Amino acid sequence: MKEGTLYLVPLAIGNPLDISPRAIECLSNVEIILCEDTRTFALNMAKFSLSANLLSYHAHNEAERNPEVLDLLAAGHDLALVSDAGMPVISDPGQSLVRACREARLRVSALPGPNAALTALVASGLDASRFVFEGFIGKRDAELRRRLLELLSEERSMIFYEAPHRLARFYNIAEEVGLGDRLLLAARELTKQYEEYSFLTLKEHLELLEIKEPRGEYVLVLEGLAEYRKRCPEAVRASEANELLERMQAGLESGKPLKEIAKELSQQFNYSKREIYQKLLDISK
């Protein structure tokens, strides 16, 4: 018996016309569509006269739903997985199901289509040849601060998703950790009626919030260290020098050998082992 296929089908992220003809055809041909909210999906897709059965699949039931889906696929049924908007799996349920299908040697086929992160990236003017997707990060302030501190040295452009009521928190903590002078594109309500792009430094975005209340969902594209270093070389060098000094002092206090400290720090900063070793000698004297 021929096994079925799980199709990953992207929906429009805002403008309903952005769904592709192939996506509509796929959704019309499968027997079952897995969706986060069956009522919302039925209303939104009624215009395409879809007749497939709908099965709820969301963050709270994916673990228990996966075995059922695998059985349906093994029995020869074709299924489609959609999220509320955009590409499935990206900051949405589905990764565990795709992994389970791969491990069970069941067929998975992904259709190309709308994605909010890439839409904002290509519209940002920031480096799109190398980038990282962070999605929603830091439910707690400490968690957000820790992750942003780690990303201070990230060379590539960074993409985040953020809700309007948490935007000020993101900007404030990002400025506190030293990202205030980085360029940032804030893309709001992508492809919808009130779509808006704002391209400023992060610090300027924070100031803008004092006069303009954030509304709608945001995609943030933040300048990576590589671009920032080219744009503001003196500022980067000064910042790195200050951080390096703090790390050298901490290393000396730890009692580690100077050569070991120099080797570790040379791998993290744009200084040679010899330069750092000499600075350590100067400080220790």
Side-chain angles (χ1 to χ4, degrees):
M1 181 176 60
K2 182 181 177 181
E3 65 186 30
T5 299
L6 174 67
Y7 293 95
L8 309 178
V9 183
L11 304 181
I13 56 177
N15 191 319
L17 296 178
D18 288 337
I19 187 170
S20 72
R22 185 186 172 199
I24 296 172
E25 180 183 36
C26 180
L27 293 174
S28 300
N29 292 334
V30 297
E31 300 172 58
I32 299 171
I33 299 174
L34 306 171
C35 49
E36 292 184 78
D37 188 318
T38 55
R39 290 172 297 180
T40 299
F41 182 81
L43 290 172
N44 290 340
M45 304 303 290
K47 66 184 74 174
F48 300 113
S49 302
L50 299 175
S51 59
N53 295 316
L54 302 183
L55 193 64
S56 66
Y57 188 90
H58 47 74
H60 302 294
N61 75 349
E62 60 178 320
E64 62 189 58
R65 187 72 84 187
N66 285 351
E68 179 183 356
V69 174
L70 294 181
D71 288 343
L72 288 167
L73 291 168
H77 301 284
D78 289 334
L79 285 76
L81 172 68
V82 300
S83 58
D84 286 341
M87 183 67 72
V89 179
I90 305 298
S91 290
D92 280 318
Q95 185 271 327
S96 65
L97 176 58
V98 174
R99 178 62 177 268
C101 287
R102 292 301 183 196
E103 292 175 348
R105 301 295 187 267
L106 294 168
R107 287 198 296 267
V108 178
S109 179
L111 278 63
N115 174 267
L118 294 182
T119 300
L121 175 65
V122 298
S124 69
L126 297 172
D127 184 10
S129 64
R130 300 171 64 240
F131 60 91
V132 293
F133 175 70
E134 290 290 327
F136 292 99
I137 65 169
K139 292 183 178 180
R140 296 183 176 86
D141 288 1
E143 181 185 354
L144 176 60
R145 182 174 287 104
R146 176 188 59 78
R147 185 64 189 129
L148 289 176
L149 278 168
E150 292 172 351
L151 291 171
L152 266 174
S153 58
E154 173 56 62
E155 297 278 329
R156 298 162 290 184
S157 300
M158 295 160 273
I159 307 173
F160 305 89
Y161 287 164
E162 196 53 274
H165 64 279
R166 292 197 299 261
L167 196 62
R169 183 193 72 138
F170 182 98
Y171 288 164
N172 273 300
I173 294 178
E175 185 184 27
E176 288 173 12
V177 303
L179 291 165
D181 293 326
R182 301 286 185 93
L183 288 172
L184 181 141
L185 177 86
R188 183 178 77 87
E189 293 291 271
L190 283 172
T191 79
K192 299 178 184 177
Q193 181 180 357
Y194 297 106
E195 174 185 272
E196 183 180 34
Y197 292 101
S198 180
F199 189 62
L200 303 164
T201 66
L202 190 144
K203 188 184 301 181
E204 289 169 334
H205 276 292
L206 184 56
E207 294 169 355
L208 188 62
L209 289 185
E210 297 178 5
I211 58 174
K212 188 174 183 179
E213 181 183 359
R215 294 179 182 275
E217 297 300 316
Y218 284 79
V219 182
L220 309 175
V221 186
L222 182 65
E223 181 181 43
L225 181 59
E227 276 195 292
Y228 180 54
R229 184 182 287 119
K230 292 178 183 177
R231 188 171 60 84
C232 305
E234 293 182 3
V236 173
R237 192 71 175 178
S239 175
E240 289 183 341
N242 289 335
E243 185 180 356
L244 176 59
L245 179 59
E246 293 177 1
R247 297 286 293 276
M248 285 192 295
Q249 290 173 332
L252 289 170
E253 292 173 3
S254 71
K256 289 182 179 179
L258 298 190
K259 289 185 178 180
E260 182 180 338
I261 300 171
K263 181 180 179 180
E264 290 178 0
L265 295 180
S266 67
Q267 295 171 350
Q268 302 168 33
F269 293 89
N270 192 28
Y271 291 86
S272 68
K273 286 190 290 185
R274 180 177 295 179
E275 286 179 295
I276 295 176
Y277 184 76
Q278 185 58 53
K279 289 178 183 292
L280 286 167
L281 284 176
D282 294 340
I283 294 173
S284 62
K285 291 177 182 177

